[in-house]
Amino acid sequence: MRVEYYFKETVQGLRRNGLLAFAAVSTAFIALFLLGMALLVRAQVNKVIDLWTAGVEVSVFLEDTISPAQQQHLASLLASMPEVASVRYESKQQAYERAKEIFRDQPEVIQNVEPDAFPASFRVKLADPEQFRVIQARLQGQPGIDDIVDHRQLLTRLFALTDVFRVGMFGVAVLMLVAAAALIGNTVRMAVFARRREIGIMRLVGATNWHIRMPFLIEGVVEGLLGAGLAVLGLFVMKVSFFDDIRKTLPFIPALGTSDVVATVPILAVAGVAVAALASLVAMRRFLEV
């Protein structure tokens, strides 16, 4: 019977305060939609970063005088490193052919260059591109190595920019949740204030605080869930109308999939429930202390 009572009180509260409930749901929708957009933008940027870093290689250029034993030792050493995903040996001729492909529109650049001018090298692909410094450190002082090019400056700037962006998106998400909590709490506070006489009577006849709080708490949670549901629907619309259009316009950019939107559902649902419940409890506390 208590569950039935809470259900009826929640439904009556939503009906009685239809305008306030609409404002709470709208507020939750806007805040959670913006939070979801922040998550989708972050997912899109991560895909682009993964695409960029997937082609990052550490080039270990070899001396012309390197012996077969030294070359085999370097190959074995690189293959044994857990940070290395794959190792590919590139001969002088292969380096020359790759240079011709790179400068195929500018043949004059290498027309007087012979294959012997290019050094042989090991092309090292990393399991985690952020571990590019490890290769330099572990190969330092090994015989037969002429130079190691790991694009240190480019990668350092890229990962620094990525970290700043991720922190920024997290900050935006936190601000959105705080805004949602403040607005939903204010809406619940108004609903509680409108029923202050009824609450006072319930206190006089011995109703406990939780008995009084529960319908308002459930009402706030329902509003949070409705806002989260609308936010998810809005994200699907944005995925189709905005992110898919980006893919059509810029086909080289990896596209967000339906799974990326689905992945935001539990986050938005939990955020909506947690923010609404916390805001409701804080909003009701003032009226239930007397």
Side-chain angles (χ1 to χ4, degrees):
M1 293 183 63
R2 179 173 295 182
V3 174
E4 183 180 357
Y5 164 76
Y6 290 148
F7 177 77
K8 288 183 178 180
E9 285 295 306
T10 301
V11 173
Q12 289 177 4
L14 291 173
R15 289 178 178 176
R16 186 186 302 114
N17 305 299
L19 186 59
L20 292 176
F22 175 77
V25 172
S26 300
T27 300
F29 159 68
I30 294 172
L32 293 174
F33 175 76
L34 292 176
L35 173 60
M37 281 296 297
L39 294 173
L40 288 185
V41 170
R42 179 184 176 183
Q44 181 67 75
V45 171
N46 285 340
K47 286 180 180 292
V48 173
I49 291 174
D50 290 341
L51 178 64
W52 287 349
T53 56
V56 171
E57 293 181 336
V58 174
S59 301
V60 182
F61 295 105
L62 307 178
E63 295 178 345
D64 292 340
T65 58
I66 188 173
S67 66
Q70 292 173 334
Q71 181 176 318
Q72 182 60 40
H73 172 70
L74 289 175
S76 301
L77 183 61
L78 287 169
S80 66
M81 294 182 186
E83 296 83 8
V84 173
S86 63
V87 181
R88 177 174 58 86
Y89 175 74
E90 184 177 79
S91 65
K92 289 176 173 287
Q93 183 63 38
Q94 290 171 331
Y96 176 68
E97 295 298 332
R98 186 164 62 86
K100 288 199 302 183
E101 178 64 24
I102 293 174
F103 296 104
R104 62 181 180 276
D105 296 328
Q106 298 173 291
E108 66 279 2
V109 174
I110 60 170
Q111 63 182 357
N112 296 321
V113 179
E114 298 295 329
D116 285 341
F118 294 88
S121 64
F122 286 112
R123 300 289 174 171
V124 182
K125 191 170 290 292
L126 304 175
D128 180 2
E130 295 193 33
Q131 299 296 321
F132 62 92
R133 298 179 182 87
V134 176
I135 307 302
Q136 174 84 28
R138 294 189 180 179
L139 294 182
Q140 194 70 36
Q142 291 291 330
I145 296 178
D146 180 53
D147 192 15
I148 299 176
V149 178
D150 55 12
H151 308 286
R152 184 182 301 270
Q153 293 183 347
L154 174 62
L155 290 176
T156 300
R157 292 176 182 176
L158 175 61
F159 291 124
L161 178 63
T162 302
D163 291 340
V164 169
F165 183 83
R166 287 171 177 167
V167 171
M169 295 305 296
F170 177 76
V172 171
V174 171
L175 288 177
M176 291 301 102
L177 291 178
V178 171
L183 293 172
I184 292 175
N186 185 61
T187 302
V188 173
R189 186 180 294 112
M190 293 174 64
V192 174
F193 182 77
R195 298 176 60 187
R196 62 190 183 281
R197 293 184 179 178
E198 180 182 340
I199 293 174
I201 295 173
M202 295 176 69
R203 292 294 300 274
L204 290 175
V205 298
T208 64
N209 282 347
W210 276 111
H211 184 77
I212 299 172
R213 285 180 179 138
M214 193 57 67
F216 294 104
L217 182 61
I218 296 175
E219 183 178 335
V221 169
V222 169
E223 291 167 352
L225 284 175
L226 288 175
L230 291 175
V232 171
L233 181 61
L235 292 179
F236 275 106
V237 173
M238 284 298 296
K239 188 262 179 189
V240 174
S241 61
F242 179 71
F243 288 101
D244 287 355
D245 283 345
I246 291 180
R247 173 61 175 169
K248 294 177 182 178
T249 306
L250 304 173
F252 56 88
I253 293 180
L256 286 176
T258 302
S259 60
D260 294 300
V261 181
V262 173
T264 66
V265 174
I267 298 176
L268 297 183
V270 171
V273 170
V275 168
L278 180 62
S280 300
L281 291 174
V282 173
M284 290 184 291
R285 182 175 182 180
R286 174 184 171 186
F287 295 94
L288 297 179
E289 286 181 343
V290 296

